Amino acid sequence: MPDADLDAVARRLAAASAAVHRCARRLEATAAATPWQGDAADAFRAALADDVARVRGCAGSLEDAAAAVHAHAATVAERREALRALRDAALAGTGSVLDDLAGLAGSGVAELVGRAVR
Amino acid sequence: MTADDVTGGVTGLEVELDALRAAAVALADVAAELVAVAAECGRGCLDDELADSALLDPVGAARAAASVAAALAGPRGLGAVAVEVEVHAARLALAVARYVVVERATATATALRREVQGHLLVAGAPALLGAGALWWAAADAAGADPVEELSEAVAAHPGLVDELVGSLPSALRTTAALVLGPLGLAVDGAVRARTGQTVLPRSLEQAAGAAGLLYAAGQPAVVRAGSLPADAPADVGDLIAGLTVADELVRAGGPSALVVATSVVRGRDGEPRTSHVVHLPGTHHWQVDPRDRAALDDLATNLELMAGEQSARVDSVRFALRAAGVDDGEPVMLVGHSQGGMVAVRAAAALGDEFRVTHVVTAGSPVSRMPLADGVSVLSLENRQDVVPRLDGGPNAPLADHVTVLFDAPAPTLAGEHELHAAYLPAAERLADSAHPALLAWDDGAQAFLLDDAERRAGTTATVTARVYRVTNADPP
């Protein structure tokens, strides 16, 4: 599972990309709905087509950013999980040693006490 | 037919300016949304999450942060693109505003020029008249017909008519001031109090109203005078052809006439639909003498229509529609040549309280200064060489509801260039071949009155009753 907070960031970026795509479609509709003819109209439509291409480029960049954040979230989650496992393992190992030590100590103490009693 | 020949309608300048304003607003809205998205992402995505997580995945965090920064704040990022779109929106809005300002400045300059021209015309009148008399005598001596020569000269330079007509109010005002002298204002005040008209006109309407003071208002007498054979019109050519028939009735003699053609169209399985087309011929009685006004298709009606006053000829259309039994919900189209077109435009506005006039077709009519009724779609045909449609001193505004078709139909005389059958009918018939969007849209809107070949082939039939009404002045002076 990717990191929840980072994944939320990735989802926000993906939603922003969708919103920007919608903006591009609105720009295209605006160009198509203008019943204007002539050289100036052609220049206007060409400028608007450039805008649409740039806006779509932004949407693509946001998608890339969302993918990068998502990958980062997955890596972070993976590494956090590994660290957690390491800690758990370490904690589990430390516990048995202490138990052994305690057992050892317990048995030694009993032996010492027994010897002393005998 | 090129795009330059058609103004107004769905591709008219008014519609284009409105569309451009709407486009500017749409672009500004998109730019604002892009800015909002960029700001939202900046707040939500460049926060501590990436910084905190960098401890665990420094390379991945750096890559993600770089991607987000490039998408939002880079030279091709969302913020920069939003600004570009905003700039385009502002440029577009500015272009529209600049056009409107230039238009107004041009109109003001034209008005000023015509004002000065009017004064100069009066000042130079003796010299102009003298030169005119000399030219007339010279043409006469050379064996040429001066009237024909003058007709040819005006036909070759029809723009002169615009200027002369536009300068007329100023010239009349100057003349009145010279003739009346210091008493002018007092006389003008007395005439205004009595008639509502001014003898010191500042507009073409006021000038026409002042000239119309000479004539008594008429009272229409509308009498049924039989029927004509008729078929349902398929296009504008057929509408003008119907008008030529009405025109011939008047040319053949007798008083003014108008024809109400009622079509009842039945599809194979649909409800019958009824529509009415009123054909209004032009001026046929040029009596200048105010003591003799038996007809209503006369000079006095032209002055009334131009001045925007109550007109007996407009009233005659109302009476004819009543006599033809037109219901208030049935669509009515008014088709007129010359004065008939002026009557049509004025009647469309005046009859709205009783009839549903939806369409007007004018041929060679000076209607640019007349206000159009709401919801009425007007198609004007104008021969560029014809001086009559120029008698309003300017071109028709390119309004959404007013399509104007300009065409060339030169003829040897001024009358020939204004002639309905020779000049306007062929142009109207050519419109059927036009693919201009404004004309196609006008045709679509007028389908209630038209029955095209495809409908006929589909089995739709029409019964047409063309009633002829003769119109006279029931109250001659």
Side-chain angles (χ1 to χ4, degrees):
Chain A
M1 285 288 285
D3 178 81
D5 291 336
L6 284 172
D7 204 41
V9 172
R11 280 200 302 276
R12 273 203 296 276
L13 286 168
S17 171
V20 173
H21 269 304
R22 280 197 297 277
C23 285
R25 283 198 293 276
R26 279 171 57 193
L27 284 179
E28 282 178 325
T30 302
T34 307
W36 201 19
Q37 292 173 350
D39 293 343
D42 292 343
F44 168 69
R45 289 202 182 89
L48 220 52
D50 283 348
D51 284 348
V52 170
R54 286 200 188 95
V55 171
R56 287 208 192 286
C58 285
S61 299
L62 285 167
E63 277 167 25
D64 293 345
V69 173
H70 186 77
H72 174 57
T75 305
V76 166
E78 195 182 297
R79 291 187 180 167
R80 190 169 282 153
E81 193 56 37
L83 277 175
R84 192 172 290 127
L86 196 62
R87 185 198 65 188
D88 290 349
L91 283 175
T94 309
S96 64
V97 169
L98 287 176
D99 286 348
D100 288 348
L101 284 174
L104 192 63
S107 62
V109 170
E111 192 176 341
L112 287 172
V113 170
R115 281 181 188 174
V117 170
R118 278 196 299 270
Chain B
M1 183 137 321
T2 64
D4 290 341
D5 295 323
V6 180
T7 65
V10 294
T11 54
L13 188 60
E14 187 198 47
V15 173
E16 286 189 347
L17 286 179
D18 283 347
L20 291 180
R21 279 189 200 99
V25 170
L27 290 190
D29 284 351
V30 168
E33 188 168 345
L34 291 174
V35 168
V37 169
E40 177 68 21
C41 282
R43 272 197 302 276
C45 304
L46 292 174
D47 56 13
D48 296 338
E49 299 295 338
L50 282 174
D52 290 350
S53 62
L55 287 170
L56 292 170
D57 177 20
V59 175
R63 190 178 296 136
S67 295
V68 172
L72 298 180
R76 301 181 71 83
L78 199 52
V81 171
V83 170
E84 281 178 27
V85 175
E86 206 158 17
V87 167
H88 281 149
R91 277 189 186 154
L92 196 55
L94 190 65
V96 173
R98 199 162 46 199
Y99 182 86
V100 172
V101 167
V102 169
E103 272 289 283
R104 283 182 188 156
T106 306
T108 306
T110 302
L112 274 173
R113 190 184 70 236
R114 288 179 172 178
E115 180 74 20
V116 173
Q117 281 173 183
H119 298 319
L120 292 176
L121 271 176
V122 175
L128 283 172
L129 287 173
L134 281 176
W135 172 83
W136 189 284
D140 207 26
D145 180 356
V147 175
E148 198 175 303
E149 293 273 309
L150 188 62
S151 171
E152 279 178 18
V154 175
H157 305 285
L160 278 174
V161 178
D162 284 343
E163 292 305 317
L164 275 173
V165 170
S167 308
L168 194 61
S170 163
L172 286 177
R173 198 168 62 252
T174 308
T175 307
L178 286 172
V179 172
L180 297 172
L183 285 175
L185 287 176
V187 171
D188 187 50
V191 173
R192 270 175 191 256
R194 192 173 164 79
T195 66
Q197 296 293 345
T198 176
V199 293
L200 301 173
R202 293 204 162 271
S203 69
L204 208 52
E205 288 76 11
Q206 289 179 347
L213 289 172
L214 295 169
Y215 299 90
Q219 175 67 35
V222 178
V223 178
R224 176 82 184 269
S227 300
L228 290 171
D231 198 0
D235 50 31
V236 178
D238 286 351
L239 290 167
I240 298 298
L243 183 56
T244 60
V245 175
D247 192 57
E248 289 299 327
L249 278 177
V250 190
R251 280 177 187 276
S256 170
L258 63 86
V259 176
V260 180
T262 299
S263 299
V264 180
V265 174
R266 284 188 177 80
R268 272 196 171 157
D269 44 7
E271 284 288 305
R273 64 171 202 258
T274 303
S275 61
H276 309 272
V277 177
V278 182
H279 296 289
L280 299 156
T283 311
H284 282 285
H285 295 85
W286 284 100
Q287 79 270 21
V288 179
D289 185 350
R291 296 165 301 174
D292 172 26
R293 198 183 176 200
L296 291 179
D297 53 352
D298 62 346
L299 177 64
T301 291
N302 286 330
L303 295 172
E304 289 166 354
L305 293 168
M306 191 59 88
E309 295 167 5
Q310 169 84 15
S311 165
R313 203 173 165 206
V314 170
D315 292 341
S316 73
V317 180
R318 184 189 293 275
F319 296 159
L321 288 174
R322 281 181 192 162
V326 175
D327 283 346
D328 55 4
E330 292 166 351
V332 175
M333 177 190 283
L334 307 176
V335 183
H337 172 234
S338 193
Q339 181 190 97
M342 297 164 75
V343 173
V345 172
R346 292 290 190 197
L351 306 184
D353 58 340
E354 190 175 349
F355 298 103
R356 194 176 145 233
V357 180
T358 60
H359 289 74
V360 165
V361 178
T362 72
S365 305
V367 296
S368 75
R369 301 178 66 91
M370 297 183 183
L372 306 183
D374 286 344
V376 176
S377 187
V378 181
L379 172 65
S380 290
L381 310 181
E382 294 189 1
N383 177 8
R384 285 197 186 88
Q385 284 77 38
D386 183 5
V387 297
V388 177
R390 292 174 176 270
L391 291 176
D392 47 14
N396 296 335
L399 305 175
D401 284 341
H402 195 174
V403 179
T404 301
V405 180
L406 298 163
F407 59 92
D408 291 308
T413 62
L414 291 177
E417 280 154 350
H418 187 56
E419 222 270 312
L420 183 60
H421 197 277
Y424 283 90
L425 181 59
E429 287 172 339
R430 281 201 304 274
L431 295 186
D433 301 325
S434 172
H436 194 285
L439 290 171
L440 295 178
W442 195 90
D443 255 18
D444 281 348
Q447 280 307 301
F449 304 95
L450 306 176
L451 180 62
D452 60 27
D453 289 343
E455 281 184 291
R456 286 185 197 275
R457 282 196 296 275
T460 303
T461 59
T463 309
V464 182
T465 311
R467 300 174 176 87
V468 180
Y469 294 93
R470 290 286 184 178
V471 181
T472 51
N473 186 4
D475 186 21

